């Protein structure tokens, strides 16, 4: 009986050690096989562009339907919610996701970029080294300088000049795997953009007449 019990205990301890060994191996392999900086920057850029396009699409749907309408879209996030990927791929420190809305080339739309959590961030709007991604939208409002809509701001260096823009400043680790974007047109409320971390939602109200 004691011999059987000893064998059982040995099997249990051996099983625990085997699980720990496999976990350690997988974790080391993941780190060693993590994407290169070039691959990461490309994947992050694609995710930024998709997020900007999704938000603009949700605004377009609501704007087209008129007052009292509401649209909901969901965006899957992989790279934008991982500080390690953002730091390695973009060379930023204490990364934050910056989202704002305003004009570009005589049109309006959603901007998404990754910024440094402290200090200014170099922003490139076009070309191969582009870091700011924009998606056109039919809703004509310039909210870049409207502090009451956002409550937070970021400083971006564009062509050697520092500009302050207002927008959502989101911690990547606070973003959910699937981000919900809810856009409403409530004529009784002003334009506003809010991020609710507990529900994983960006809630937007548009007011063309306000």
């Amino acid at each position: 009986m004691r011999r059987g019990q000893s064998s059982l205990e040995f099997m249990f301890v051996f099983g625990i050690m085997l699980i720990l060994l496999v976990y350690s191996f997988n974790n080391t392999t993941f780190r060693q096989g993590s994407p290169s900086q070039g691959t990461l920057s490309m994947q992050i850029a694609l995710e930024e562009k998709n997020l900007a396009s999704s938000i603009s699409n949700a605004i377009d749907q609501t704007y087209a339907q008129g007052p009292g309408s509401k649209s909901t879209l969901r965006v899957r996030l992989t790279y934008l919610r991982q500080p390690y990927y953002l730091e390695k791929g973009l060379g930023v420190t204490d990364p934050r996701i910056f989202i704002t809305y305003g004009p570009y080339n005589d049109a309006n739309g959603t901007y998404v970029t990754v910024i440094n959590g402290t200090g200014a961030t170099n922003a490139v709007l076009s070309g191969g080294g582009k870091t700011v991604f924009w998606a056109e939208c039919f809703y004509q409002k310039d909210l870049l300088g409207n502090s009451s809509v956002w409550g937070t701001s970021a400083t971006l260096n564009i062509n050697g000049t520092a500009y302050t823009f207002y927008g959502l400043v989101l911690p990547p680790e606070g973003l959910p795997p699937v981000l919900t974007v809810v856009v409403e047109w409530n004529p009784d409320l002003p334009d506003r953009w809010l991020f609710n971390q507990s529900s994983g939602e960006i809630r937007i109200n548009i007011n063309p007449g306000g």
Side-chain angles (χ1 to χ4, degrees):
M1 183 72 177
R2 292 181 64 86
R3 183 176 301 175
Q5 183 177 356
S6 299
S7 299
L8 185 61
E9 289 174 351
F10 173 80
M11 292 287 290
F12 178 77
V13 172
F14 180 78
I16 294 294
M17 292 179 63
L18 186 61
I19 291 172
L20 291 175
L21 181 63
V22 170
Y23 174 80
S24 176
F25 175 79
N26 285 343
N27 192 50
T28 302
T29 302
F30 172 77
R31 284 292 181 180
Q32 290 176 345
S34 60
S36 66
Q37 182 177 6
T39 300
L40 274 176
S41 62
M42 182 184 303
Q43 295 294 341
I44 293 167
L46 291 172
E47 208 162 88
E48 288 175 283
K49 179 63 176 176
N50 182 55
L51 178 56
S53 297
S54 298
I55 294 173
S56 285
N57 288 340
I59 294 173
D60 274 342
Q61 290 179 22
T62 304
Y63 187 45
Q65 294 170 18
S69 60
K70 178 180 178 180
S71 298
T72 301
L73 287 178
R74 290 174 176 82
V75 187
R76 182 168 296 279
L77 302 177
T78 300
Y79 298 92
L80 289 179
R81 52 189 298 269
Q82 299 290 344
Y84 168 77
Y85 284 158
L86 300 177
E87 290 170 356
K88 179 180 178 181
L90 304 179
V92 295
T93 56
D94 189 24
R96 294 289 184 269
I97 312 304
F98 184 63
I99 303 172
T100 189
Y101 190 90
Y104 183 68
N105 287 342
D106 300 323
N108 281 68
T110 306
Y111 290 88
V112 175
T113 189
V114 178
I115 61 172
N116 292 306
T118 54
T121 304
N122 291 323
V124 182
L125 294 166
S126 60
K130 183 164 69 169
T131 61
V132 181
F133 297 87
W134 179 85
E136 185 176 355
C137 189
F138 294 115
Y139 181 54
Q140 297 298 304
K141 275 291 183 74
D142 182 1
L143 306 178
L144 297 175
N146 193 331
S147 60
S148 64
V149 174
W150 312 95
T152 51
S153 64
T155 301
L156 302 180
N157 287 326
I158 302 175
N159 296 327
T161 302
Y163 299 90
T164 297
F165 299 106
Y166 291 92
L168 295 178
V169 179
L170 310 179
E173 63 274 13
L175 293 173
V178 178
L179 177 68
T180 302
V181 180
V182 181
V183 183
E184 299 179 82
W185 181 348
N186 185 340
D188 297 326
L189 296 176
D191 284 274
R192 65 180 183 184
W193 293 53
L194 300 170
F195 174 62
N196 187 327
Q197 184 170 329
S198 61
S199 63
E201 292 181 337
I202 292 179
R203 301 192 69 93
I204 301 168
N205 189 73
I206 62 172
N207 189 345

